[in-house]
Amino acid sequence: MVGGITRYIPLKKSMRIAVVMFLVILVGCVLYGSLASDKNNAYRVVRANDPRLQHEIDVLHKKVRDLEKGKKTYPDVRFLTYKDRKRILVSGGAGFVGSHLVDQLMLQGHEVSVVDNFFTGRKRNVEHWIGHENFELLHHDIVHPLYIEVDQIYHLASPASPPNYMYNPIKTLKTNTIGTINMLGLAKRVRGRLLLASTSEVYGDPEVHPQTEDYWGHVNPIGPRACYDEGKRVAETMCYAYQKQEHIEVRVARIFNTFGPRMHMNDGRVVSNFILQALQNESITVYGDGTQTRSFQYVSDLVNGLIKLMNSNYSFPINIGNPEEHTIMDFAQIIKNLVGGHSQIVKKTAMEDDPRRRRPDITRAKKYLNWQPEVPMMVGINRTIEYFRNELHRSRHSERNLHSPDET
């Protein structure tokens, strides 16, 4: 104020432009809000007066809901930093055991690559992981070399049931010899650790009971099962040759009879045969007199044992199995009682070189891995029966029977 008169202070040109722009934006917002309101009101009126438009809108809304409902979701996996996260290859990872192993490794937060030629494996065993950023599926036969970057290799690739490995014995031998050489060569190149999924079949028809890892076995080298038995024995020899000469870290798991969801329906194993026959009210076939014994473990117990062995400091062979022993006849009766129905147990001619007794000594596993089976056999059998029952009821591919990893 100067002498009661307000002094005019002129604004700079830039400030005047800013004020004008602000006023223009303010007026525009008011007008747009008014127009949008009028437009929405008009839209509601048109929609109410035009049933065809309403129908089209409803159809589009339904499509949006269907798309949202069909959006693929994955089990919740743990996040690991780069120091703890490993790149893991599972050969045969689309198979029965391999797919359950993949589930656990994925849930732990690792990056998992599955390689499978799908001779006995199935894509739908791992389809719930396809598209996940930590998962990769490779259609490849390990008889041919594979060049990828990994930290650990779980070498499970091989037919594992008698009908499958006897169907093409030369291919079985190649997978367990040339395929194992290729996996060991990969481990050598990347300086990674390899776990070989060996088998209780290396003991053959054992003369020692129960079987300890120090027992050298009783195998017929020219029998019908030799392609698998001797193939795995050579694979073990290769592992320890590479360990000695190339300083590769190896782990060897001798796996005993295993069962659970995702078993192949017609793989010819005891559990799948008995359950499938009982569910369809067919005769339950027992080969031989039924007094031969087996020890059955649930698949989640085996997977836990494999992971513990891989991450242990113990490099000699370790039995992974359930020391609870049952005769085949007793097991057939257990399946028959659980499933119900009218199946009869019938005996057929014994199979050549079929082991008479099979039971693991798991002293090493308890001592060095702190591992032993935890799932009661009856619980595991009931889960497997339910899976097979659902599988038999499927009539369309869209009907899923995935067995979520959370159900193990």
Side-chain angles (χ1 to χ4, degrees):
M1 297 284 290
V2 179
I5 301 173
T6 303
R7 184 180 177 184
Y8 171 72
I9 303 176
L11 295 171
K12 291 183 179 180
K13 184 176 180 179
S14 59
M15 294 180 66
R16 290 200 301 270
I17 293 173
V19 171
V20 171
M21 289 296 295
F22 173 75
L23 293 174
V24 169
I25 293 172
L26 181 61
V27 171
C29 289
V30 173
L31 290 174
Y32 176 79
S34 177
L35 289 172
S37 177
D38 292 342
K39 181 180 178 181
N40 288 334
N41 290 333
Y43 172 72
R44 292 191 189 97
V45 171
V46 171
R47 187 174 65 175
N49 294 334
D50 190 345
R52 292 176 300 175
L53 180 59
Q54 177 64 51
H55 174 71
E56 291 296 327
I57 292 170
D58 291 341
V59 169
L60 291 173
H61 283 165
K62 183 178 183 303
K63 287 183 177 180
V64 170
R65 288 195 300 270
D66 290 343
L67 286 171
E68 291 178 346
K69 184 169 59 176
K71 183 179 178 182
K72 186 164 185 178
T73 58
Y74 302 97
D76 188 25
V77 304
R78 182 183 174 192
F79 174 77
L80 296 177
T81 64
Y82 74 95
K83 293 186 297 182
D84 300 319
R85 185 172 62 247
K86 292 183 175 63
R87 297 168 298 178
I88 301 175
L89 171 65
V90 183
S91 69
F96 160 48
V97 173
S99 64
H100 287 279
L101 174 61
V102 167
D103 285 346
Q104 291 306 310
L105 296 174
M106 285 291 295
L107 291 173
Q108 290 177 6
H110 298 293
E111 296 178 12
V112 180
S113 296
V114 167
V115 57
D116 207 300
N117 68 351
F118 302 109
F119 175 58
T120 57
R122 295 291 182 269
K123 286 183 181 179
R124 64 187 179 88
N125 286 341
V126 292
E127 68 175 315
H128 48 288
W129 294 116
I130 294 176
H132 194 284
E133 62 188 47
N134 285 356
F135 180 79
E136 183 178 21
L137 178 61
L138 304 173
H139 189 167
H140 179 82
D141 192 326
I142 61 164
V143 169
H144 306 289
L146 179 67
Y147 301 98
I148 62 174
E149 300 301 320
V150 295
D151 302 306
Q152 293 181 345
I153 301 169
Y154 287 86
H155 178 31
L156 277 63
S158 173
S161 65
N164 285 329
Y165 61 66
M166 289 191 289
Y167 170 77
N168 191 340
I170 294 176
K171 179 66 174 178
T172 300
L173 279 167
K174 284 184 175 180
T175 301
N176 284 296
T177 55
I178 301 173
T180 301
I181 284 284
N182 286 332
M183 291 295 99
L184 286 165
L186 175 60
K188 174 185 173 182
R189 183 178 68 81
V190 300
R191 308 311 299 176
R193 179 180 294 182
L194 180 141
L195 181 146
L196 171 68
S198 188
T199 173
S200 59
E201 298 293 345
V202 299
Y203 300 124
D205 187 5
E207 299 169 317
V208 172
H209 192 79
Q211 293 81 56
T212 65
E213 292 87 348
D214 294 328
Y215 176 54
W216 291 353
H218 178 224
V219 176
N220 178 2
I222 60 172
R225 305 165 71 106
C227 60
Y228 184 68
D229 301 3
E230 296 288 24
K232 288 294 187 181
R233 287 163 69 93
V234 171
E236 288 192 14
T237 302
M238 289 175 174
C239 286
Y240 290 107
Y242 266 78
Q243 181 188 62
K244 181 178 181 180
Q245 181 172 323
E246 305 295 344
H247 308 292
I248 300 302
E249 293 188 11
V250 298
R251 304 289 183 266
V252 174
R254 290 177 178 166
I255 300 172
F256 283 69
N257 294 67
T258 306
F259 69 95
R262 300 187 194 147
M263 293 184 76
H264 198 288
M265 296 284 282
N266 297 312
D267 68 358
R269 301 188 213 202
V270 172
V271 177
S272 53
N273 271 0
F274 288 175
I275 293 177
L276 196 58
Q277 290 167 345
L279 286 172
Q280 298 180 109
N281 281 315
E282 298 176 352
S283 296
I284 298 176
T285 54
V286 172
Y287 293 93
D289 58 12
T291 59
Q292 63 269 40
T293 66
R294 297 291 184 272
S295 301
F296 299 96
Q297 67 182 331
Y298 190 64
V299 64
S300 63
D301 283 331
L302 169 59
V303 166
N304 291 336
L306 294 178
I307 293 174
K308 284 190 172 185
L309 176 57
M310 172 64 89
N311 296 292
S312 73
N313 293 319
Y314 192 80
S315 61
F316 290 103
I318 286 192
N319 291 334
I320 306 291
N322 192 333
E324 185 180 332
E325 188 178 10
H326 294 272
T327 67
I328 296 297
M329 186 60 73
D330 287 344
F331 198 73
Q333 191 63 52
I334 289 171
I335 298 292
K336 181 179 184 299
N337 293 339
L338 289 175
V339 173
H342 309 291
S343 297
Q344 299 297 317
I345 300 175
V346 298
K347 296 180 180 179
K348 290 192 173 184
T349 305
M351 298 180 68
E352 187 177 352
D353 292 336
D354 189 31
R356 295 295 306 167
R357 303 189 73 182
R358 181 64 56 73
R359 176 188 166 195
D361 182 310
I362 61 170
T363 303
R364 279 190 188 178
K366 288 180 177 179
K367 179 178 179 180
Y368 296 105
L369 307 182
N370 191 29
W371 177 89
Q372 62 182 357
E374 296 179 356
V375 178
M377 188 182 74
M378 301 301 282
V379 172
I381 292 175
N382 279 316
R383 291 177 184 172
T384 309
I385 289 172
E386 185 62 23
Y387 176 83
F388 272 56
R389 182 178 284 116
N390 292 338
E391 192 72 0
L392 287 173
H393 288 163
R394 291 180 70 203
S395 59
R396 293 185 299 273
H397 183 75
S398 58
E399 295 174 348
R400 289 330 204 202
N401 186 26
L402 293 175
H403 186 77
S404 167
D406 298 328
E407 298 173 15
T408 56

